[in-house]
PDB file of all heavy atoms in Angstrom:
ATOM      1  N   ARG A   2     193.618  87.884 175.449  1.00  0.00           N
ATOM      2  CA  ARG A   2     193.260  88.816 174.371  1.00  0.00           C
ATOM      3  C   ARG A   2     191.757  88.684 174.109  1.00  0.00           C
ATOM      4  O   ARG A   2     191.270  87.597 173.818  1.00  0.00           O
ATOM      5  CB  ARG A   2     194.029  88.532 173.097  1.00  0.00           C
ATOM      6  CG  ARG A   2     193.577  89.397 171.913  1.00  0.00           C
ATOM      7  CD  ARG A   2     194.414  89.213 170.673  1.00  0.00           C
ATOM      8  NE  ARG A   2     195.700  89.880 170.795  1.00  0.00           N
ATOM      9  CZ  ARG A   2     196.333  90.472 169.763  1.00  0.00           C
ATOM     10  NH1 ARG A   2     195.784  90.476 168.560  1.00  0.00           N
ATOM     11  NH2 ARG A   2     197.503  91.038 169.943  1.00  0.00           N
ATOM     12  N   ILE A   3     191.052  89.800 174.218  1.00  0.00           N
ATOM     13  CA  ILE A   3     189.609  89.856 174.012  1.00  0.00           C
ATOM     14  C   ILE A   3     189.356  90.767 172.832  1.00  0.00           C
ATOM     15  O   ILE A   3     189.840  91.912 172.808  1.00  0.00           O
ATOM     16  CB  ILE A   3     188.897  90.384 175.271  1.00  0.00           C
ATOM     17  CG1 ILE A   3     189.275  89.538 176.493  1.00  0.00           C
ATOM     18  CG2 ILE A   3     187.386  90.382 175.066  1.00  0.00           C
ATOM     19  CD1 ILE A   3     188.830  90.138 177.812  1.00  0.00           C
ATOM     20  N   ALA A   4     188.610  90.290 171.853  1.00  0.00           N
ATOM     21  CA  ALA A   4     188.422  91.043 170.616  1.00  0.00           C
ATOM     22  C   ALA A   4     186.947  91.215 170.277  1.00  0.00           C
ATOM     23  O   ALA A   4     186.092  90.458 170.738  1.00  0.00           O
ATOM     24  CB  ALA A   4     189.132  90.340 169.451  1.00  0.00           C
ATOM     25  N   THR A   5     186.677  92.227 169.456  1.00  0.00           N
ATOM     26  CA  THR A   5     185.341  92.450 168.908  1.00  0.00           C
ATOM     27  C   THR A   5     185.457  92.621 167.409  1.00  0.00           C
ATOM     28  O   THR A   5     186.400  93.238 166.911  1.00  0.00           O
ATOM     29  CB  THR A   5     184.674  93.680 169.551  1.00  0.00           C
ATOM     30  OG1 THR A   5     183.414  93.919 168.897  1.00  0.00           O
ATOM     31  CG2 THR A   5     185.514  94.932 169.418  1.00  0.00           C
ATOM     32  N   PHE A   6     184.487  92.074 166.677  1.00  0.00           N
ATOM     33  CA  PHE A   6     184.548  92.091 165.218  1.00  0.00           C
ATOM     34  C   PHE A   6     183.121  92.101 164.669  1.00  0.00           C
ATOM     35  O   PHE A   6     182.395  91.125 164.784  1.00  0.00           O
ATOM     36  CB  PHE A   6     185.296  90.851 164.723  1.00  0.00           C
ATOM     37  CG  PHE A   6     185.669  90.842 163.271  1.00  0.00           C
ATOM     38  CD1 PHE A   6     185.407  91.912 162.431  1.00  0.00           C
ATOM     39  CD2 PHE A   6     186.304  89.736 162.733  1.00  0.00           C
ATOM     40  CE1 PHE A   6     185.771  91.900 161.087  1.00  0.00           C
ATOM     41  CE2 PHE A   6     186.675  89.685 161.394  1.00  0.00           C
ATOM     42  CZ  PHE A   6     186.410  90.777 160.576  1.00  0.00           C
ATOM     43  N   ASN A   7     182.723  93.221 164.072  1.00  0.00           N
ATOM     44  CA  ASN A   7     181.465  93.260 163.330  1.00  0.00           C
ATOM     45  C   ASN A   7     181.724  92.550 162.010  1.00  0.00           C
ATOM     46  O   ASN A   7     182.364  93.097 161.106  1.00  0.00           O
ATOM     47  CB  ASN A   7     180.994  94.701 163.103  1.00  0.00           C
ATOM     48  CG  ASN A   7     179.668  94.767 162.365  1.00  0.00           C
ATOM     49  OD1 ASN A   7     179.417  93.997 161.439  1.00  0.00           O
ATOM     50  ND2 ASN A   7     178.811  95.689 162.753  1.00  0.00           N
ATOM     51  N   ILE A   8     181.221  91.334 161.899  1.00  0.00           N
ATOM     52  CA  ILE A   8     181.567  90.466 160.779  1.00  0.00           C
ATOM     53  C   ILE A   8     180.730  90.755 159.535  1.00  0.00           C
ATOM     54  O   ILE A   8     181.072  90.341 158.431  1.00  0.00           O
ATOM     55  CB  ILE A   8     181.442  88.984 161.211  1.00  0.00           C
ATOM     56  CG1 ILE A   8     182.166  88.052 160.252  1.00  0.00           C
ATOM     57  CG2 ILE A   8     179.980  88.605 161.393  1.00  0.00           C
ATOM     58  CD1 ILE A   8     183.658  88.222 160.242  1.00  0.00           C
ATOM     59  N   ASN A   9     179.595  91.460 159.703  1.00  0.00           N
ATOM     60  CA  ASN A   9     178.743  91.845 158.572  1.00  0.00           C
ATOM     61  C   ASN A   9     178.299  90.634 157.747  1.00  0.00           C
ATOM     62  O   ASN A   9     178.433  90.599 156.534  1.00  0.00           O
ATOM     63  CB  ASN A   9     179.453  92.872 157.688  1.00  0.00           C
ATOM     64  CG  ASN A   9     178.510  93.530 156.684  1.00  0.00           C
ATOM     65  OD1 ASN A   9     177.302  93.416 156.789  1.00  0.00           O
ATOM     66  ND2 ASN A   9     179.077  94.206 155.705  1.00  0.00           N
ATOM     67  N   GLY A  10     177.754  89.650 158.452  1.00  0.00           N
ATOM     68  CA  GLY A  10     177.242  88.447 157.791  1.00  0.00           C
ATOM     69  C   GLY A  10     178.205  87.292 157.951  1.00  0.00           C
ATOM     70  O   GLY A  10     179.156  87.164 157.180  1.00  0.00           O
ATOM     71  N   ILE A  11     177.966  86.419 158.926  1.00  0.00           N
ATOM     72  CA  ILE A  11     178.946  85.380 159.227  1.00  0.00           C
ATOM     73  C   ILE A  11     179.036  84.331 158.116  1.00  0.00           C
ATOM     74  O   ILE A  11     180.117  83.762 157.879  1.00  0.00           O
ATOM     75  CB  ILE A  11     178.631  84.713 160.587  1.00  0.00           C
ATOM     76  CG1 ILE A  11     179.812  83.872 161.054  1.00  0.00           C
ATOM     77  CG2 ILE A  11     177.340  83.881 160.523  1.00  0.00           C
ATOM     78  CD1 ILE A  11     179.738  83.439 162.492  1.00  0.00           C
ATOM     79  N   LYS A  12     177.956  84.097 157.402  1.00  0.00           N
ATOM     80  CA  LYS A  12     178.025  83.122 156.313  1.00  0.00           C
ATOM     81  C   LYS A  12     178.838  83.676 155.146  1.00  0.00           C
ATOM     82  O   LYS A  12     179.670  82.972 154.571  1.00  0.00           O
ATOM     83  CB  LYS A  12     176.614  82.747 155.863  1.00  0.00           C
ATOM     84  CG  LYS A  12     175.817  81.992 156.922  1.00  0.00           C
ATOM     85  CD  LYS A  12     174.412  81.685 156.450  1.00  0.00           C
ATOM     86  CE  LYS A  12     173.617  80.976 157.541  1.00  0.00           C
ATOM     87  NZ  LYS A  12     172.216  80.713 157.128  1.00  0.00           N
ATOM     88  N   ALA A  13     178.625  84.944 154.811  1.00  0.00           N
ATOM     89  CA  ALA A  13     179.349  85.556 153.707  1.00  0.00           C
ATOM     90  C   ALA A  13     180.819  85.766 154.035  1.00  0.00           C
ATOM     91  O   ALA A  13     181.671  85.735 153.136  1.00  0.00           O
ATOM     92  CB  ALA A  13     178.709  86.902 153.347  1.00  0.00           C
ATOM     93  N   ARG A  14     181.142  85.971 155.317  1.00  0.00           N
ATOM     94  CA  ARG A  14     182.520  86.294 155.711  1.00  0.00           C
ATOM     95  C   ARG A  14     183.201  85.155 156.469  1.00  0.00           C
ATOM     96  O   ARG A  14     184.252  85.355 157.065  1.00  0.00           O
ATOM     97  CB  ARG A  14     182.546  87.528 156.620  1.00  0.00           C
ATOM     98  CG  ARG A  14     181.621  88.630 156.248  1.00  0.00           C
ATOM     99  CD  ARG A  14     182.047  89.410 155.032  1.00  0.00           C
ATOM    100  NE  ARG A  14     181.011  90.379 154.702  1.00  0.00           N
ATOM    101  CZ  ARG A  14     180.840  90.934 153.520  1.00  0.00           C
ATOM    102  NH1 ARG A  14     181.654  90.620 152.532  1.00  0.00           N
ATOM    103  NH2 ARG A  14     179.871  91.794 153.307  1.00  0.00           N
ATOM    104  N   LEU A  15     182.610  83.974 156.461  1.00  0.00           N
ATOM    105  CA  LEU A  15     183.171  82.878 157.257  1.00  0.00           C
ATOM    106  C   LEU A  15     184.646  82.614 156.940  1.00  0.00           C
ATOM    107  O   LEU A  15     185.444  82.441 157.877  1.00  0.00           O
ATOM    108  CB  LEU A  15     182.341  81.609 157.079  1.00  0.00           C
ATOM    109  CG  LEU A  15     182.760  80.426 157.953  1.00  0.00           C
ATOM    110  CD1 LEU A  15     182.699  80.783 159.433  1.00  0.00           C
ATOM    111  CD2 LEU A  15     181.873  79.212 157.660  1.00  0.00           C
TER     112      LEU A  15
END
Side-chain angles (χ1 to χ4, degrees):
R2 174 175 285 215
I3 305 169
T5 175
F6 191 3
N7 182 321
I8 197 66
N9 193 13
I11 193 167
K12 294 178 182 178
R14 320 287 175 202
L15 185 58

